[in-house]
Amino acid sequence: MPFDLEFVRQNWPQPVSYFATIDSTMLEATRLAEAGCAHGAVVVADEQTAGQGRHGRHWHSEPNSGLYISIVLRPALGADSLPVLTLALGLAAADAIAEATNLECDLRWPNDVMMDGHKVAGILVQLLDAAAIAGIGVNVNHSAFPPEIAAEATSLRIVSNRQYSREHLLVSLLGAVDRYCAVLAAEGKDKILAMFSQRSSYARNKRVKVEQGASILEGTTAGLDPSGFLMIRRDDGTEELVLAGGVRPV
């Protein structure tokens, strides 16, 4: 079904750039940010040929099935707030999905939105001078995934056996991003950390392994530190701060 761009533009006050096919919405949003676009400018595509995930991974972007967007944010926040901004965007994505579909999500630190133990959405944030480029991908109407990610990924359609309006989800998502950015700016990191910890089954008391390059850290999650990084308690009682890595349940 063709993307209803006019519906989105009627319900979002900032510029919305649409592409049937693009290499990456992140790259286009970066170009817009460098040209001085407004806070809240959005790039949305029906298909990405080089969609970006964390750590240089590829984001599977099946044509006309998912929501592939990047938003230019100009928050009044320091660079040290970037990890918490990622958590805030996860909260926004979970809220938007619940609002548009009545489906509840889990949050896996630092940037995965989960359903039934599988990834349904992901977030990538990159800093660019005074702007943050927030890439958000949501698996909406996918009926299947390539073998290499089929065990990890799911979609709203697979979970519920229903198809959903990507346009309505996008409008809900943009509004939620705006709300959570305002919460972070007005009430600070602690508020977002508390909200994330409450919503995430991964934040505390979950047995996990963390892939850190060639090594694997195994232990029990012990909450988030004040900067938004994950604490892992080893079996010997010592704790280690995880700055990055793929967190998976044991």
Side-chain angles (χ1 to χ4, degrees):
M1 183 179 296
F3 190 82
D4 190 350
L5 180 60
E6 287 311 307
F7 173 82
V8 178
R9 285 177 169 163
Q10 288 168 8
N11 288 277
W12 183 245
Q14 300 304 331
V16 179
S17 301
Y18 166 80
F19 296 85
T21 300
I22 197 173
D23 49 1
S24 164
T25 61
M26 291 289 286
L27 296 177
E28 179 63 20
T30 297
R31 289 189 280 268
L32 292 177
E34 289 174 337
C37 73
H39 169 86
V42 184
V43 179
V44 58
D46 267 329
E47 178 187 25
Q48 295 181 112
T49 58
Q52 299 179 38
R54 292 183 74 237
H55 307 302
R57 297 190 182 100
H58 172 73
W59 182 266
H60 176 64
S61 305
E62 180 180 317
N64 307 312
S65 297
L67 198 55
Y68 318 122
I69 72 165
S70 291
I71 313 167
V72 178
L73 304 175
R74 299 188 185 278
L77 303 168
D80 61 342
S81 295
L82 179 60
V84 183
L85 177 59
T86 299
L87 303 183
L89 294 171
L91 287 162
D95 275 11
I97 289 170
E99 179 181 325
T101 69
N102 291 318
L103 298 172
E104 294 298 323
C105 299
D106 191 8
L107 297 170
R108 182 171 67 189
W109 185 92
N111 71 323
D112 294 336
V113 183
M114 311 291 291
M115 281 187 176
D116 293 346
H118 295 74
K119 184 172 177 177
V120 74
I123 293 134
L124 177 65
V125 181
Q126 297 177 347
L127 284 183
L128 178 71
D129 298 326
I133 312 300
I136 303 176
V138 185
N139 300 329
V140 183
N141 292 321
H142 302 66
S143 59
F145 291 91
E148 61 270 20
I149 61 170
E152 170 75 10
T154 192
S155 71
L156 304 178
R157 177 180 179 179
I158 290 172
V159 169
S160 66
N161 199 33
R162 286 186 54 196
Q163 295 197 51
Y164 296 95
S165 164
R166 293 178 295 150
E167 299 88 344
H168 282 84
L169 178 57
L170 176 54
V171 169
S172 293
L173 178 58
L174 294 173
V177 167
D178 209 37
R179 291 195 303 272
Y180 277 99
C181 285
V183 169
L184 180 55
E187 302 185 52
K189 297 179 184 178
D190 289 349
K191 180 65 173 179
I192 296 296
L193 294 176
M195 296 173 79
F196 187 92
S197 297
Q198 184 177 26
R199 296 275 292 275
S200 170
S201 73
Y202 283 80
R204 189 176 293 276
N205 298 323
K206 192 175 188 75
R207 186 77 180 177
V208 298
K209 61 181 179 180
V210 185
E211 300 167 1
Q212 299 178 305
S215 65
I216 294 179
L217 169 65
E218 187 169 324
T220 302
T221 56
L224 305 176
D225 87 331
S227 295
F229 296 113
L230 184 66
M231 300 294 300
I232 300 290
R233 184 178 298 110
R234 297 177 181 270
D235 291 341
D236 63 6
T238 60
E239 292 189 350
E240 181 164 337
L241 185 65
V242 177
L243 302 180
V247 177
R248 298 294 182 269
V250 173

